[in-house]
Amino acid sequence: MSPIVLVGPGKDLVEAHRLLQQMRPALRFCYPDDSLAQAAEVAICWAPPSGSFARLPQLKLIHSVGAGADPIIREPSRPASAAVCRIVDPGHCQGMLEYVLWGVLHYHRRFDQILANQSQQRWERLTQHGAQQTRVGVMGLGQLGKAAAEQLARLGFATRGWARSAQPLPGVATFTEAQLPDFLDGLDILVCLLPLTERTQGILGAETFAHLTPGAALINCGRGGHLRVDDLLGALASGQLRGALLDVFEQEPLSREHPLWSTPGVTVTPHIASSASLSVIAEQILTNIDRQQAGLPLFNRVDTALGY
Ligand code: GLV
């Protein structure tokens, strides 16, 4: 079979390469500047550098090493005829759930304010509320969003979910795309687990924040492109938001000079909310390579028009 081309930077890619080679010693791997790459039918990547695919005329399958394939879909040199696939790891939900629960509990139990008080040796027994009094909204009801919303509802939070189309979920009040204002109105904590598409780009902005309860908190584990950073800074300065837990950024790593590092109320985590396990990544990529070679339908194929 033709060599498999590894496109772009990324620790995940290097590790996936090592494991794939170990699992299938017969496969040949190369990088885009290698002359062998011209013949490659399969590319593996996370965030391809601009123009990457222009030199790869034979591509039939572009496989993401992540759950999202948005950086691949957005790349203008991507050949429209190549299938794009992503990783779907059921274990991914557990990590995301832990991250979202940590964030929701942090704001719900007012640990943000308690930790700020500690830094001033201030003993103040802030009023605590029951979970049913905290309104949490989950944007995006894909595999991860659904699991998070269901679990939050099970824990007693007044939980809402928002998705493009109707998604009944036990214990969760769900809203469709057109009902966005109703979904947002009066939320105490907004969690973003949306895919990044043309419709969701910049959705976390002033207009959205204005619907929330004054002093609400934001948790973004979708993509950096969902957030309008200037609007967030404005909402934090005005007190419309009291905090933001951010795991994803337009440019990663976040540059050392970025204001988000030091804005009061902002917690930055380095895109660690959750990721697929390396063994699942390698297995799913190998399965799809075999299926592509055999002319069989691929697993976890992304609808490039929808963007997920
Ligand atoms: C991480 O954000 C992923 O898409 O896997």
Side-chain angles (χ1 to χ4, degrees), residues 12 46 64-71 86-87 92 96 144 221-223 247-248 252 271 274-276:
D12 295 350
W46 164 241
S64 172
V65 291
D70 45 294
R86 67 191 191 95
I87 302 295
H92 203 169
M96 192 55 86
L144 302 177
C221 358
R223 290 284 182 247
D247 188 55
V248 285
E252 295 182 5
H271 205 143
S274 187
S275 47

